């Protein structure tokens, strides 16, 4: 906020039932519409289109994408900016698997699946980045626009495809260790269906990139 | 070249080298022990890779912050 950096926050809410919209409106009153850009959508339309929608309203040179429920903590943002300046990277990816990155709130099974899936991904795709399914990243605006044009998958695989395509196009990727805090309200969100579609997506990327 | 392509090329290369050395009837004067090992080499490598995978994932799981 008072870090001396010029920023704006674009909030895209797909009709969350938990009062997100009202809180966002209050924030807009406090900080002003130049800083807080509310761009809600009528219903749940998916992550990819949310990125595109957000980009249309973003006016900066860099875009940071993150979860808004504090599973991604804003305290890492200065780290991302610092890393980007350090190597003039096109993308800075938050990684849970290197340095003192990690997760909080996952049981052993979830961690095992995560590490196992990441291992398979590393062997098959050799992507040059340690965390492909994370979604806490900083992008140069033109880079994000270019990647959005090229990526076709959904869900976890979409995040992986972004990095893989970025490497293909010659963009540079830096990494910053981050902690992911999982808000576990009940049952695990990683069912058999997600695992199957992850593997299908991984094999598709393997065969097409 | 896609990753799949790279893998297939790599496997084709190694496969043909192995086949040339291990499956020629009397082409090469290799002593019997060497021939046995060579024939089983793919299986050895597969098992070694399996062990490496388990060890790596296990280690990373144990040191996962």
């Amino acid at each position: 906020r008072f870090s001396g950096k010029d920023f704006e926050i674009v909030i895209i809410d797909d009709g969350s039932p938990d009062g997100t919209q009202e809180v966002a409106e209050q924030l807009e009153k406090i900080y002003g519409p130049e800083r807080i850009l509310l761009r809600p959508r009528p219903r749940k339309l998916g992550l990819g289109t949310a990125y595109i929608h957000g980009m249309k309203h973003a006016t900066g040179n860099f875009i940071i994408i993150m979860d808004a429920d504090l599973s991604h903590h804003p305290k890492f943002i200065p780290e991302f900016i610092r890393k980007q300046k350090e190597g003039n990277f096109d993308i800075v990816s938050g990684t849970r698997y290197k340095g003192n990155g990690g997760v909080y709130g996952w049981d052993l099974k979830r961690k095992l699946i995560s590490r196992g899936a990441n291992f398979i991904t590393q062997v098959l795709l050799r992507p040059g980045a340690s965390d492909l399914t994370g979604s806490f990243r900083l992008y140069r605006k033109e880079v994000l626009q270019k990647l959005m044009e090229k990526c076709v998958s959904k869900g976890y695989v979409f995040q992986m495809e972004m990095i893989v395509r970025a490497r293909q196009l010659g963009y540079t990727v830096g990494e910053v260790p981050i902690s992911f805090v999982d808000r576990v309200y009940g049952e695990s969100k990683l069912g058999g269906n997600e695992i199957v579609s992850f593997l299908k997506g991984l094999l598709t990327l393997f065969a097409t990139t | 070249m896609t990753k799949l392509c790279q893998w297939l090329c790599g496997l084709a290369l190694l496969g043909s080298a192995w086949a040339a050395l291990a499956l020629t009837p009397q082409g090469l004067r290799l002593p019997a022990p060497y021939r046995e090992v060579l024939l089983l080499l793919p299986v050895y490598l597969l098992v070694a890779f399996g062990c490496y995978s388990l060890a790596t994932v296990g280690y990373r799981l144990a040191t996962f912050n």
Side-chain angles (χ1 to χ4, degrees):
Chain A
R1 198 172 305 120
F2 304 111
S3 59
K5 305 226 189 314
D6 203 12
F7 73 93
E8 65 192 10
I9 301 179
V10 183
I11 302 179
I12 298 163
D13 176 39
D14 283 357
S16 299
D18 58 1
T20 300
Q21 183 72 349
E22 288 75 51
V23 174
E25 279 163 9
Q26 285 177 17
L27 282 174
E28 196 182 22
K29 285 201 185 64
I30 299 174
Y31 293 103
E34 318 82 48
R35 286 276 187 233
I36 311 278
L37 280 64
L38 268 184
R39 300 290 178 263
R41 301 194 298 179
R43 60 187 196 289
K44 199 159 187 298
L45 291 171
L47 188 61
T49 51
Y51 282 13
I52 298 174
H53 188 73
M55 269 198 301
K56 287 205 188 75
H57 301 286
T59 60
N61 300 319
F62 294 97
I63 298 183
I64 294 182
I65 304 216
M66 55 193 290
D67 290 355
D69 58 357
L70 289 188
S71 48
H72 293 146
H73 200 290
K75 72 182 179 191
F76 293 107
I77 293 181
E79 271 299 300
F80 277 80
I81 298 176
R82 195 189 55 79
K83 185 76 187 181
Q84 194 283 325
K85 287 205 168 77
E86 189 185 304
N88 197 26
F89 293 110
D90 297 308
I91 302 178
V92 180
S93 169
T95 173
R96 296 159 292 170
Y97 299 130
K98 250 171 61 173
N100 47 10
V103 298
Y104 183 82
W106 278 3
D107 59 3
L108 199 66
K109 182 172 166 222
R110 185 80 168 83
K111 286 184 179 179
L112 174 63
I113 296 177
S114 184
R115 279 295 195 180
N118 182 253
F119 177 77
I120 301 175
T121 307
Q122 294 291 327
V123 168
L124 285 181
L125 297 182
R126 298 189 323 274
S130 60
D131 190 347
L132 282 205
T133 51
S135 51
F136 193 179
R137 297 185 186 151
L138 177 147
Y139 299 87
R140 223 187 277 277
K141 186 162 169 209
E142 319 81 67
V143 171
L144 185 58
Q145 280 168 333
K146 188 70 194 259
L147 288 177
M148 294 302 307
E149 283 166 34
K150 292 208 154 253
C151 289
V152 294
S153 28
K154 301 196 193 324
Y156 290 117
V157 185
F158 171 62
Q159 301 295 345
M160 297 194 320
E161 192 185 359
M162 298 263 263
I163 298 276
V164 170
R165 297 257 177 238
R167 301 293 272 184
Q168 262 187 334
L169 293 166
Y171 294 131
T172 52
V173 180
E175 296 195 296
V176 164
I178 54 145
S179 335
F180 177 84
V181 178
D182 199 3
R183 307 274 150 173
V184 181
Y185 290 117
E187 73 286 5
S188 161
K189 295 182 319 207
L190 199 64
N193 272 335
E194 265 120 341
I195 297 186
V196 167
S197 62
F198 168 81
L199 287 174
K200 279 188 357 198
L202 177 59
L203 289 176
T204 308
L205 280 181
F206 178 63
T208 57
T209 60
Chain B
M1 195 191 265
T2 66
K3 288 287 180 296
L4 178 60
C5 245
Q6 287 175 6
W7 274 67
L8 291 177
C9 283
L11 285 174
L13 217 66
L14 293 173
S16 48
W18 174 82
L21 286 176
L23 302 181
T24 53
Q26 280 300 106
L28 260 53
R29 308 285 196 132
L30 284 179
Y34 283 122
R35 283 215 69 198
E36 283 166 26
V37 171
L38 203 55
L39 278 171
L40 288 176
L41 196 59
V43 182
Y44 288 154
L45 290 178
L46 222 59
V47 173
F49 176 70
C51 292
Y52 164 77
S53 305
L54 285 176
T56 305
V57 175
Y59 171 75
R60 288 179 181 170
L61 180 63
T63 57
F64 201 177
N65 287 338

